[in-house]
Amino acid sequence: MTAPAKGAPEKSTVPGKAVKKSSRAMRNNLTAYSFIAPNFIGFCVFTLVPMVFAIGLAFCNWDGVHDIEFIGFKNFIDLMSDATFKTSFVNTIVYCLGTVPLTLVCSLGLALLLNQNVKLRNFFRTVSFFPYVASLVAVAAVWNMIFSPSMGPVNMLLSALGVENLPRWAAGKETAMITVILFSVWKNMGYYMVIYLAGLQGTNPSLVEAAELDGANKWHVFWHVTLPQLRPTTFFVTITLTIASFKVYDQMFMITQGGPGNATITLVYDIYNIAFVNTPKYGYASAVAMVLFAMVLAITLIQFGSSSNND
Amino acid sequence: MKNSSQKRNHIVTMTVIYVVLIIITALMLIPFLWMLSASLKMNKDVFSFPIQWIPDNPRWKNYVDIWTKIPLLTFVKNSTKLTIIVTLLQLFTSSFAAYAFAKMNFKGKNLLFLGYIATIAVPWQAYMVPQFMMLRAWNLNNTHLAIICLQAFSAFGVFLMKQFYEGVPSELCEAARIDGLTEYGIWFRVMLPLSKPALSTLTIFTFVSTWNDFLGPLIYLTKNEVKTIQIGLRMFISQYSAEYGLIMAASVIALIPVLVIFLALQKYFVQGVAATGIKG
């Protein structure tokens, strides 16, 4: 599907030489294609084709049994008046606004601490990475038990400290989203901390020394010297976190099941429900998927735009 | 005089740093320790407060019972099989394709590479539905082949390997060409041995993401005999939600392989994460 156009300059002035040269070039091309083929064919069939299919499907009505029917923008018009979709859209944004700054601050803070001359640095780094590589199902199961409203050790501790009106965590309408956000921060901050550590390695220590000689205190040094140097890293972390938060699903599925009510349902959760739980409406699910795609694309374009500006 | 106050300041700062670090480490570790501790308790003792971290009579039986309560062995076997196949395929196809992109000139190179780049912005969740319809039409739902097809051909692997290969001097390849090695020979004898760090990074990323993958297997694998450990564990949790001890024992089992691989290859993991960050 990506057959390259024949280049005109190949036909050079000396015919005999050109034939020999182009047959060698041809052989070289074939060798190169044979290197790429195993990955590219799989990538085309299982990624590119479904992607194109997804765009088309968003404009169709299909239940998987009857014929596909083209219905234009009807799916998107229906989305406007779909309360579940609206809730899942708003929830996704709320989750994003909660996780992105919190994860950013926590991972930067941890990276700054570990960037000091501390002993057991590798140990601390390894431990904060544990939650990130651990199976989500397993750690979500523990999280659910530890934050169990009636029996969990967290609420036991709070009540022992004399707190009344114990939070209902994942079971409470107001606290469910906060619980998921806290879980996500805990699980992912180690990953972004490593990115920040790498960013800190790239900063210029002599600037910090100069500022300290000028009598700036630690806070000033951080705010006016270190943080500006970390701007590219912060930008990258923000973009990555934002995109990841748009795609959130697993955490909700395992901690709150999207509830209580629809308090923690997200866009991907909505897609999953429409396509695989309720009577399937594949076209409609794809329309929701296109909204998700548009959101991710917008963030990616911001990233591309800024990186080409910086160059 | 000034020196000693500076010294005292330094000691205070370092103490604060260590205290904060120890608190964070505790927050990171406590859920895992609690899991381990609960996995050795009777259900009624799991939530006893204050927490008894080391049970008086560790109930090792939980680790025996869990294998008969659900087909855990099948789940572990399925996950192991999928993870190994996907990782090997990913390593092979990515490094193979990356070699051509990094070290060869051919027609359509930029166009083909653009094909990979263009898809970065598309989240898998946006096309998982049509992908499922397609694979179901080919009768691949409830087969491991479906998960392998989903996971084994990522653009990420090609990027990672290409980036590494570009750092290898092209003179090495030229010299090998003059010595009469074919391109395949150069890939196998020159590039592969040199790219152990990049291959290790890709291995750990693929291993962890395949072993822990949830939504893909959840959609495709609905029959018990093909389920992975994550799906099986989730099924157990929803069926026996009050079997706290057993749930925790199964969770520990689900965690171990990834933790072992992570501890063994963590240097490459950290390098990989750092590299993606700097590149971005």
Side-chain angles (χ1 to χ4, degrees):
Chain A
M1 65 180 288
T2 40
K6 268 254 174 243
E10 282 285 309
K11 286 168 190 158
S12 66
T13 40
V14 192
K17 229 178 176 180
V19 169
K20 210 172 166 191
K21 199 176 162 195
S22 79
S23 92
R24 196 193 302 144
M26 182 68 119
R27 221 175 40 233
N28 186 46
N29 281 350
L30 285 178
T31 314
Y33 297 147
S34 74
F35 269 100
I36 292 167
N39 193 288
F40 195 76
I41 292 171
F43 171 75
C44 266
V45 174
F46 300 110
T47 303
L48 279 183
V49 170
M51 268 179 199
V52 176
F53 191 14
I55 298 171
L57 203 54
F59 299 94
C60 295
N61 190 10
W62 192 34
D63 58 4
V65 182
H66 300 90
D67 287 345
I68 301 183
E69 177 195 4
F70 180 78
I71 52 168
F73 283 92
K74 186 170 179 304
N75 284 333
F76 293 96
I77 294 164
D78 289 350
L79 278 184
M80 309 271 193
S81 53
D82 178 343
T84 314
F85 167 74
K86 273 186 207 160
T87 313
S88 57
F89 181 81
V90 171
N91 285 345
T92 307
I93 300 292
V94 170
Y95 173 81
C96 171
L97 293 177
T99 37
V100 175
L102 254 180
T103 314
L104 198 92
V105 170
C106 291
S107 55
L108 174 59
L110 188 56
L112 287 169
L113 290 179
L114 288 183
N115 201 43
Q116 307 291 322
N117 194 10
V118 291
K119 292 201 174 80
L120 296 174
R121 195 178 146 182
N122 285 345
F123 167 77
F124 288 124
R125 195 180 61 188
T126 305
V127 166
S128 37
F129 226 109
F130 265 14
Y132 181 75
V133 289
S135 141
L136 190 72
V137 188
V139 290
V142 188
W143 194 266
N144 277 340
M145 290 188 194
I146 292 181
F147 282 85
S148 157
S150 52
M151 313 179 281
V154 170
N155 270 7
M156 290 294 184
L157 189 70
L158 288 177
S159 93
L161 292 173
V163 177
E164 288 168 29
N165 291 325
L166 290 171
R168 308 215 357 94
W169 301 114
K173 234 182 160 61
E174 290 78 27
T175 48
M177 185 58 94
I178 298 169
T179 310
V180 180
I181 290 173
L182 287 178
F183 174 78
S184 299
V185 173
W186 174 80
K187 189 156 192 328
N188 295 323
M189 66 184 271
Y191 178 83
Y192 296 99
M193 181 269 294
V194 171
I195 296 181
Y196 262 122
L197 268 181
L200 282 167
Q201 303 292 315
T203 59
N204 185 352
S206 60
L207 288 176
V208 173
E209 279 161 28
E212 272 168 354
L213 276 181
D214 287 347
N217 65 29
K218 286 219 180 272
W219 174 250
H220 277 118
V221 172
F222 166 72
W223 195 251
H224 295 291
V225 180
T226 311
L227 201 56
Q229 288 191 80
L230 284 174
R231 252 179 63 191
T233 313
T234 305
F235 184 72
F236 174 78
V237 170
T238 311
I239 295 280
T240 317
L241 270 170
T242 308
I243 292 179
S245 71
F246 287 166
K247 299 190 279 193
V248 71
Y249 164 78
D250 304 15
Q251 281 98 309
M252 320 307 199
F253 183 81
M254 281 172 242
I255 294 179
T256 61
Q257 285 81 50
N262 274 339
T264 52
I265 192 174
T266 60
L267 283 174
V268 176
Y269 214 124
D270 197 27
I271 299 173
Y272 178 81
N273 281 345
I274 297 170
F276 302 114
V277 178
N278 309 334
T279 334
K281 292 198 284 184
Y282 297 117
Y284 197 62
S286 274
V288 181
M290 285 307 112
V291 174
L292 171 72
F293 170 54
M295 289 162 69
V296 174
L297 185 66
I299 303 292
T300 311
L301 289 178
I302 293 175
Q303 185 184 20
F304 277 0
S306 110
S307 64
S308 55
N309 276 348
N310 286 347
D311 295 343
Chain B
M1 186 70 184
K2 199 183 172 205
N3 227 343
S4 82
S5 89
Q6 249 179 4
K7 214 171 187 175
R8 203 170 47 231
N9 258 338
H10 181 72
I11 291 171
V12 171
T13 319
M14 286 321 275
T15 313
V16 172
I17 288 176
Y18 277 111
V19 168
V20 177
L21 274 179
I22 287 165
I23 292 173
I24 294 174
T25 309
L27 288 177
M28 292 290 164
L29 277 183
I30 280 174
F32 293 99
L33 297 177
W34 198 85
M35 179 193 286
L36 202 59
S37 158
S39 76
L40 295 171
K41 287 178 182 171
M42 311 258 291
N43 289 333
K44 65 178 175 57
D45 298 331
V46 166
F47 290 107
S48 64
F49 193 83
I51 303 169
Q52 191 187 13
W53 288 100
I54 300 169
D56 292 332
N57 299 308
R59 196 178 151 82
W60 298 104
K61 202 167 167 291
N62 283 343
Y63 283 91
V64 179
D65 290 352
I66 186 65
W67 299 90
T68 49
K69 199 96 179 176
I70 47 169
L72 190 62
L73 187 64
T74 312
F75 300 152
V76 171
K77 271 189 196 156
N78 288 339
S79 275
T80 311
K81 171 187 157 194
L82 278 175
T83 308
I84 291 175
I85 294 178
V86 167
T87 307
L88 288 179
L89 270 175
Q90 178 80 260
L91 287 176
F92 167 69
T93 66
S94 301
S95 68
F96 212 48
Y99 174 73
F101 281 124
K103 292 292 174 216
M104 292 179 77
N105 283 313
F106 57 92
K107 262 187 192 165
K109 179 172 164 177
N110 292 334
L111 190 66
L112 285 173
F113 197 66
L114 197 69
Y116 282 103
I117 292 183
T119 60
I120 301 175
V122 189
W124 172 75
Q125 289 85 344
Y127 60 90
M128 64 181 183
V129 176
Q131 194 184 44
F132 175 75
M133 304 311 298
M134 197 177 88
L135 289 172
R136 197 180 63 175
W138 297 344
N139 283 321
L140 286 178
N141 62 326
N142 273 316
T143 66
H144 288 152
L145 190 58
I147 304 296
I148 295 171
C149 294
L150 248 67
Q151 299 259 13
F153 311 102
S154 78
F156 169 76
V158 178
F159 286 130
L160 189 85
M161 295 308 297
K162 175 177 177 274
Q163 205 187 1
F164 184 85
Y165 284 162
E166 275 168 350
V168 176
S170 291
E171 289 79 12
L172 273 179
C173 302
E174 285 305 324
R177 271 181 206 128
I178 291 165
D179 286 348
L181 275 183
T182 61
E183 297 294 330
Y184 306 103
I186 300 172
W187 170 76
F188 188 72
R189 299 224 193 131
V190 181
M191 292 309 245
L192 272 193
L194 279 174
S195 54
K196 270 183 198 139
L199 291 173
S200 306
T201 303
L202 189 56
T203 303
I204 188 167
F205 271 105
T206 315
F207 188 99
V208 170
S209 70
T210 313
W211 183 271
N212 288 342
D213 190 23
F214 184 73
L215 190 47
L218 179 71
I219 295 172
Y220 284 88
L221 310 176
T222 51
K223 288 190 184 139
N224 262 355
E225 61 266 27
V226 289
K227 279 182 180 164
T228 61
I229 177 95
Q230 309 301 334
I231 306 301
L233 178 59
R234 179 64 216 170
M235 180 190 78
F236 180 66
I237 292 170
S238 43
Q239 278 173 6
Y240 299 91
S241 55
E243 289 282 1
Y244 309 114
L246 286 178
I247 290 176
M248 290 295 95
S251 297
V252 170
I253 292 169
L255 282 180
I256 287 173
V258 156
L259 287 189
V260 168
I261 281 278
F262 169 66
L263 288 175
L265 293 177
Q266 74 157 303
K267 189 176 118 203
Y268 300 107
F269 203 101
V270 170
Q271 279 170 2
V273 176
T276 44
I278 290 167
K279 186 192 67 189

